[in-house]
Protein backbone atom coordinates (compact mmCIF):
# COMPACT_ATOMS: atom_id res chain seq x y z
CA UNK A 1 0.00 0.00 0.00
CA UNK A 2 1.34 3.40 -0.96
CA UNK A 3 1.71 6.22 1.49
CA UNK A 4 -1.07 8.10 -0.30
CA UNK A 5 -3.40 5.13 0.05
CA UNK A 6 -2.51 4.83 3.71
CA UNK A 7 -3.41 8.49 4.28
CA UNK A 8 -6.73 8.06 2.46
CA UNK A 9 -7.53 4.99 4.52
CA UNK A 10 -6.76 6.89 7.68
CA UNK A 11 -9.00 9.79 6.69
CA UNK A 12 -11.80 7.41 5.78
CA UNK A 13 -11.48 5.70 9.14
CA UNK A 14 -11.67 9.03 10.98
CA UNK A 15 -14.71 10.15 8.97
CA UNK A 16 -16.45 6.84 9.63
CA UNK A 17 -15.68 7.15 13.32
CA UNK A 18 -17.06 10.72 13.48
CA UNK A 19 -20.19 9.79 11.57
CA UNK A 20 -20.66 6.75 13.75
CA UNK A 21 -20.34 8.80 16.93
CA UNK A 22 -22.77 11.40 15.54
CA UNK A 23 -25.30 8.75 14.59
CA UNK A 24 -24.98 7.10 17.99
CA UNK A 25 -25.46 10.45 19.72
CA UNK A 26 -28.63 11.10 17.72
CA UNK A 27 -30.02 7.61 18.28
CA UNK A 28 -29.35 7.97 22.00
CA UNK A 29 -31.19 11.31 22.16
CA UNK A 30 -31.87 12.46 24.74
CA UNK A 31 -29.29 11.43 27.30
CA UNK A 32 -29.43 14.56 29.48
CA UNK A 33 -31.98 17.22 30.53
CA UNK A 34 -33.53 19.48 27.88
CA UNK A 35 -33.96 23.22 28.36
CA UNK A 36 -37.14 24.87 27.09
CA UNK A 37 -36.57 28.63 27.02
CA UNK A 38 -39.66 30.79 27.58
CA UNK A 39 -39.00 34.40 26.53
CA UNK A 40 -41.44 35.71 29.14
CA UNK A 41 -41.49 36.04 32.93
CA UNK A 42 -43.13 33.24 34.94
CA UNK A 43 -46.89 33.11 35.34
CA UNK A 44 -48.27 34.11 31.96
CA UNK A 45 -50.03 32.00 29.33
CA UNK A 46 -46.77 31.12 27.55
CA UNK A 47 -45.11 30.03 30.79
CA UNK A 48 -48.07 27.91 31.90
CA UNK A 49 -48.31 26.27 28.48
CA UNK A 50 -44.58 25.54 28.42
CA UNK A 51 -44.63 23.94 31.85
CA UNK A 52 -47.71 21.88 31.04
CA UNK A 53 -46.37 20.51 27.77
CA UNK A 54 -42.79 20.29 29.06
CA UNK A 55 -43.76 18.03 31.95
CA UNK A 56 -45.43 15.55 29.60
CA UNK A 57 -42.66 15.75 27.02
CA UNK A 58 -40.12 14.94 29.71
CA UNK A 59 -42.03 11.74 30.57
CA UNK A 60 -41.99 10.61 26.95
CA UNK A 61 -38.33 11.45 26.37
CA UNK A 62 -37.16 9.98 29.67
CA UNK A 63 -35.34 13.18 30.58
CA UNK A 64 -36.55 16.27 32.48
CA UNK A 65 -37.55 19.33 30.46
CA UNK A 66 -36.31 22.34 32.42
CA UNK A 67 -38.18 25.62 31.91
CA UNK A 68 -35.86 28.62 31.63
CA UNK A 69 -37.72 31.96 31.81
CA UNK A 70 -35.74 34.61 29.92
CA UNK A 71 -38.08 37.58 29.65
CA UNK A 72 -37.12 41.01 28.41
CA UNK A 73 -36.75 43.16 25.28
CA UNK A 74 -40.14 42.09 23.99
CA UNK A 75 -39.08 38.38 23.87
CA UNK A 76 -35.74 39.13 22.14
CA UNK A 77 -33.48 38.10 25.05
CA UNK A 78 -34.75 34.55 25.46
CA UNK A 79 -35.21 34.03 21.74
CA UNK A 80 -31.59 35.02 21.06
CA UNK A 81 -30.39 32.44 23.60
CA UNK A 82 -31.94 29.67 21.53
CA UNK A 83 -30.84 31.11 18.20
CA UNK A 84 -27.24 30.96 19.44
CA UNK A 85 -27.46 27.48 20.96
CA UNK A 86 -26.14 24.26 19.46
CA UNK A 87 -28.68 22.49 17.20
CA UNK A 88 -28.60 19.28 19.20
CA UNK A 89 -32.14 19.15 20.57
CA UNK A 90 -31.15 20.11 24.10
CA UNK A 91 -32.16 23.79 23.84
CA UNK A 92 -35.67 24.58 22.63
CA UNK A 93 -37.78 27.72 22.44
CA UNK A 94 -41.40 28.35 23.32
CA UNK A 95 -41.88 30.65 20.33
CA UNK A 96 -44.82 32.98 19.86
CA UNK A 97 -46.21 35.38 17.30
CA UNK A 98 -44.32 38.11 19.17
CA UNK A 99 -40.92 36.40 19.19
CA UNK A 100 -41.08 35.02 15.65
CA UNK A 101 -43.04 37.69 13.75
CA UNK A 102 -43.98 40.94 15.47
CA UNK A 103 -40.91 41.85 17.52
CA UNK A 104 -38.39 41.22 14.70
CA UNK A 105 -40.46 43.50 12.43
CA UNK A 106 -40.85 46.20 15.09
CA UNK A 107 -37.35 46.31 16.52
CA UNK A 108 -33.73 45.50 15.80
CA UNK A 109 -33.19 42.04 17.24
CA UNK A 110 -30.01 39.96 17.23
CA UNK A 111 -31.56 37.01 15.41
CA UNK A 112 -33.34 36.18 12.17
CA UNK A 113 -36.68 34.51 12.93
CA UNK A 114 -36.64 32.64 9.61
CA UNK A 115 -32.98 31.64 9.20
CA UNK A 116 -31.94 30.99 12.80
CA UNK A 117 -34.61 28.47 13.81
CA UNK A 118 -36.06 25.08 13.01
CA UNK A 119 -39.84 24.96 13.41
CA UNK A 120 -40.56 21.84 15.46
CA UNK A 121 -44.28 21.82 16.22
CA UNK A 122 -47.23 24.12 16.83
CA UNK A 123 -48.83 23.89 20.25
CA UNK A 124 -51.85 26.13 20.62
CA UNK A 125 -53.37 29.46 19.77
CA UNK A 126 -55.55 31.87 21.69
CA UNK A 127 -57.89 34.00 19.58
CA UNK A 128 -58.63 37.62 20.32
CA UNK A 129 -62.15 38.89 20.80
CA UNK A 130 -63.34 42.17 19.32
CA UNK A 131 -65.17 43.35 22.44
CA UNK A 132 -67.22 46.52 22.80
CA UNK A 133 -68.89 48.29 25.67
CA UNK A 134 -72.66 47.63 25.41
CA UNK A 135 -73.29 51.39 25.76
CA UNK A 136 -71.60 51.90 22.38
CA UNK A 137 -74.65 50.22 20.80
CA UNK A 138 -72.59 48.41 18.18
CA UNK A 139 -74.04 44.98 17.48
CA UNK A 140 -71.86 43.65 14.66
CA UNK A 141 -68.62 44.16 12.79
CA UNK A 142 -70.63 45.58 9.88
CA UNK A 143 -72.23 48.14 12.19
CA UNK A 144 -68.80 49.04 13.60
CA UNK A 145 -67.41 49.61 10.11
CA UNK A 146 -70.41 51.74 9.15
CA UNK A 147 -70.07 53.86 12.28
CA UNK A 148 -66.33 54.30 11.75
CA UNK A 149 -66.93 55.48 8.19
CA UNK A 150 -69.51 57.99 9.45
CA UNK A 151 -67.03 59.51 11.91
CA UNK A 152 -64.25 61.62 10.34
CA UNK A 153 -61.83 60.89 13.16
CA UNK A 154 -62.76 57.22 13.35
CA UNK A 155 -63.69 55.08 16.32
CA UNK A 156 -61.14 54.71 19.11
CA UNK A 157 -59.89 51.39 20.40
CA UNK A 158 -57.69 50.49 23.36
CA UNK A 159 -54.58 48.31 23.37
CA UNK A 160 -51.86 47.07 25.71
CA UNK A 161 -49.39 49.43 24.04
CA UNK A 162 -47.76 50.25 20.70
CA UNK A 163 -46.70 47.19 18.75
CA UNK A 164 -48.68 44.71 20.84
CA UNK A 165 -50.86 42.09 19.20
CA UNK A 166 -54.09 43.85 20.12
CA UNK A 167 -52.75 47.11 18.69
CA UNK A 168 -51.86 45.42 15.41
CA UNK A 169 -55.22 43.65 15.37
CA UNK A 170 -56.84 47.08 15.22
CA UNK A 171 -54.50 48.26 12.48
CA UNK A 172 -55.29 45.15 10.45
CA UNK A 173 -59.02 45.80 10.86
CA UNK A 174 -58.57 49.37 9.64
CA UNK A 175 -56.61 48.11 6.64
CA UNK A 176 -58.99 45.31 5.68
CA UNK A 177 -62.16 47.38 6.19
CA UNK A 178 -60.73 50.61 4.71
CA UNK A 179 -61.67 52.65 7.76
CA UNK A 180 -59.87 54.89 10.20
CA UNK A 181 -59.46 53.81 13.80
CA UNK A 182 -57.92 55.89 16.58
CA UNK A 183 -55.41 53.89 18.63
CA UNK A 184 -55.43 54.54 22.40
CA UNK A 185 -52.40 52.76 23.92
CA UNK A 186 -52.17 51.73 27.58
CA UNK A 187 -49.41 50.19 29.69
CA UNK A 188 -50.78 46.68 29.60
CA UNK A 189 -53.99 44.86 28.73
CA UNK A 190 -55.56 45.11 32.20
CA UNK A 191 -55.86 48.93 32.36
CA UNK A 192 -56.96 49.03 28.74
CA UNK A 193 -59.70 46.47 29.35
CA UNK A 194 -60.81 48.30 32.50
CA UNK A 195 -61.34 51.50 30.52
CA UNK A 196 -63.36 49.68 27.87
CA UNK A 197 -65.55 48.22 30.61
CA UNK A 198 -65.90 51.70 32.10
CA UNK A 199 -66.87 53.15 28.72
CA UNK A 200 -63.85 55.47 28.44
CA UNK A 201 -62.90 53.75 25.16
CA UNK A 202 -65.61 51.91 23.24
CA UNK A 203 -63.77 48.79 22.13
CA UNK A 204 -60.68 46.60 22.22
CA UNK A 205 -59.21 43.39 20.84
CA UNK A 206 -58.27 41.22 23.80
CA UNK A 207 -57.50 37.55 24.38
CA UNK A 208 -60.60 35.43 24.93
CA UNK A 209 -58.98 34.12 28.11
CA UNK A 210 -59.23 37.48 29.87
CA UNK A 211 -62.34 38.73 28.06
CA UNK A 212 -64.57 35.71 28.74
CA UNK A 213 -65.65 36.59 32.33
CA UNK A 214 -66.78 40.07 31.25
CA UNK A 215 -68.67 38.67 28.28
CA UNK A 216 -70.53 36.27 30.57
CA UNK A 217 -71.38 39.05 33.04
CA UNK A 218 -72.63 41.35 30.28
CA UNK A 219 -70.05 44.06 30.93
CA UNK A 220 -68.72 43.55 27.41
CA UNK A 221 -70.24 42.38 24.14
CA UNK A 222 -68.37 40.17 21.67
CA UNK A 223 -68.68 41.15 18.02
CA UNK A 224 -66.29 38.57 16.58
CA UNK A 225 -63.32 36.33 17.28
CA UNK A 226 -60.13 36.75 15.27
CA UNK A 227 -59.30 33.09 14.59
CA UNK A 228 -59.93 31.39 11.25
CA UNK A 229 -62.68 29.24 12.75
CA UNK A 230 -65.06 29.86 15.64
CA UNK A 231 -63.79 29.42 19.17
CA UNK A 232 -64.96 26.35 21.07
CA UNK A 233 -65.41 28.63 24.10
CA UNK A 234 -67.54 31.15 22.15
CA UNK A 235 -69.33 29.01 19.55
CA UNK A 236 -72.08 31.59 18.97
CA UNK A 237 -69.66 34.42 18.15
CA UNK A 238 -68.78 34.74 14.45
CA UNK A 239 -65.25 35.08 13.15
CA UNK A 240 -63.98 38.25 11.52
CA UNK A 241 -63.90 36.25 8.28
CA UNK A 242 -67.58 35.37 8.64
CA UNK A 243 -68.22 39.04 9.38
CA UNK A 244 -67.11 40.09 5.91
CA UNK A 245 -63.31 40.36 6.19
CA UNK A 246 -61.96 37.32 4.31
CA UNK A 247 -58.29 38.14 4.90
CA UNK A 248 -58.56 38.70 8.65
CA UNK A 249 -56.90 36.31 11.09
CA UNK A 250 -55.03 37.21 14.28
CA UNK A 251 -54.15 34.83 17.10
CA UNK A 252 -51.66 34.66 19.91
CA UNK A 253 -49.98 31.46 18.75
CA UNK A 254 -47.43 29.30 20.52
CA UNK A 255 -45.07 26.64 19.22
CA UNK A 256 -41.78 24.87 19.78
CA UNK A 257 -38.69 25.95 17.86
CA UNK A 258 -35.07 24.76 17.89
CA UNK A 259 -31.85 26.30 16.57
CA UNK A 260 -31.38 26.05 12.80
CA UNK A 261 -29.78 22.82 11.65
CA UNK A 262 -31.56 20.45 14.03
CA UNK A 263 -30.87 16.88 12.81
CA UNK A 264 -33.86 15.29 11.04
CA UNK A 265 -34.17 12.27 13.40
CA UNK A 266 -34.35 14.53 16.47
CA UNK A 267 -36.82 16.85 14.73
CA UNK A 268 -39.06 13.92 13.83
CA UNK A 269 -38.87 12.52 17.38
CA UNK A 270 -39.82 15.83 19.00
CA UNK A 271 -42.64 16.55 16.56
CA UNK A 272 -44.13 13.09 17.00
CA UNK A 273 -43.98 13.18 20.80
CA UNK A 274 -45.41 16.70 21.06
CA UNK A 275 -48.22 15.87 18.62
CA UNK A 276 -49.12 12.76 20.59
CA UNK A 277 -49.12 14.72 23.85
CA UNK A 278 -51.48 17.35 22.46
CA UNK A 279 -53.97 14.71 21.34
CA UNK A 280 -54.48 13.29 24.83
CA UNK A 281 -57.81 14.13 26.52
CA UNK A 282 -55.95 15.47 29.55
CA UNK A 283 -53.95 17.97 27.49
CA UNK A 284 -57.01 19.00 25.47
CA UNK A 285 -58.86 19.75 28.70
CA UNK A 286 -55.89 21.67 30.11
CA UNK A 287 -55.60 23.82 27.01
CA UNK A 288 -59.31 24.56 27.19
CA UNK A 289 -58.83 25.76 30.78
CA UNK A 290 -56.20 28.18 29.46
CA UNK A 291 -58.62 29.44 26.82
CA UNK A 292 -56.37 27.99 24.12
CA UNK A 293 -57.21 26.10 20.95
CA UNK A 294 -55.16 23.01 20.09
CA UNK A 295 -52.83 23.30 17.09
CA UNK A 296 -50.82 20.47 15.56
CA UNK A 297 -48.91 19.84 12.35
CA UNK A 298 -45.71 18.67 10.73
CA UNK A 299 -42.51 20.77 10.80
CA UNK A 300 -42.66 21.75 7.11
CA UNK A 301 -46.22 23.07 7.36
CA UNK A 302 -45.46 24.86 10.60
CA UNK A 303 -42.35 26.50 9.17
CA UNK A 304 -44.43 27.78 6.25
CA UNK A 305 -47.02 29.17 8.67
CA UNK A 306 -44.38 30.94 10.77
CA UNK A 307 -42.92 32.44 7.60
CA UNK A 308 -46.34 33.67 6.43
CA UNK A 309 -46.97 35.29 9.82
CA UNK A 310 -43.59 37.02 9.68
CA UNK A 311 -44.36 38.42 6.22
CA UNK A 312 -47.89 39.48 7.19
CA UNK A 313 -46.92 41.43 10.29
CA UNK A 314 -43.87 42.98 8.68
CA UNK A 315 -46.18 44.29 5.97
CA UNK A 316 -48.69 45.71 8.47
CA UNK A 317 -45.95 47.33 10.55
CA UNK A 318 -44.26 48.85 7.49
CA UNK A 319 -47.55 50.05 6.01
CA UNK A 320 -48.46 51.99 9.14
CA UNK A 321 -44.94 53.15 9.95
CA UNK A 322 -45.03 51.44 13.36
CA UNK A 323 -41.37 50.43 13.57
CA UNK A 324 -39.16 52.85 15.53
Amino acid sequence: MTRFSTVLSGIAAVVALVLGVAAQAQSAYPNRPITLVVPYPPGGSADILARTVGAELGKRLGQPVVIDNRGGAGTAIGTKVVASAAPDGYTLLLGTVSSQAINPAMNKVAYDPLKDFTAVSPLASIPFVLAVNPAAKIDSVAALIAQAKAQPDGLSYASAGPGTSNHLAGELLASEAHIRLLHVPYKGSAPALNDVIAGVVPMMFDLQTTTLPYLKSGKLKALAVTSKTRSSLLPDVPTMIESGLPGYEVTAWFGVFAPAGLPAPILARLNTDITDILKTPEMTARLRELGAELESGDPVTYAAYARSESVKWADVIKRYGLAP
Side-chain angles (χ1 to χ4, degrees), residues 23 38 66 74 85 109 132 138 145 159 165 168 171 205 221 228 248 258 260 296 316-317 323:
V38 179
V66 180
V109 296
V132 299
I138 302 174
I145 293 172
S159 86
S165 295
L168 297 182
E171 298 289 2
F205 287 91
K221 177 180 177 61
K228 186 177 293 187
Y248 197 102
S296 62
V316 171
I317 289 165

Side-chain angles (χ1 to χ4, degrees), residues 60-74:
R60 286 179 176 263
L61 295 176
Q63 292 287 342
V65 174
V66 180
I67 304 302
D68 183 5
N69 294 94
R70 296 287 188 101

Side-chain angles (χ1 to χ4, degrees), residues 22 79 84 87-88 95 124 136 140 149 165 172 187 190 216 227 288 295:
T79 307
S84 303
D88 54 11
S140 66
K149 288 182 176 179
S165 295
L172 188 61
K187 293 182 178 180
K216 290 181 177 179
S227 47
R288 188 178 176 84
E295 303 284 350

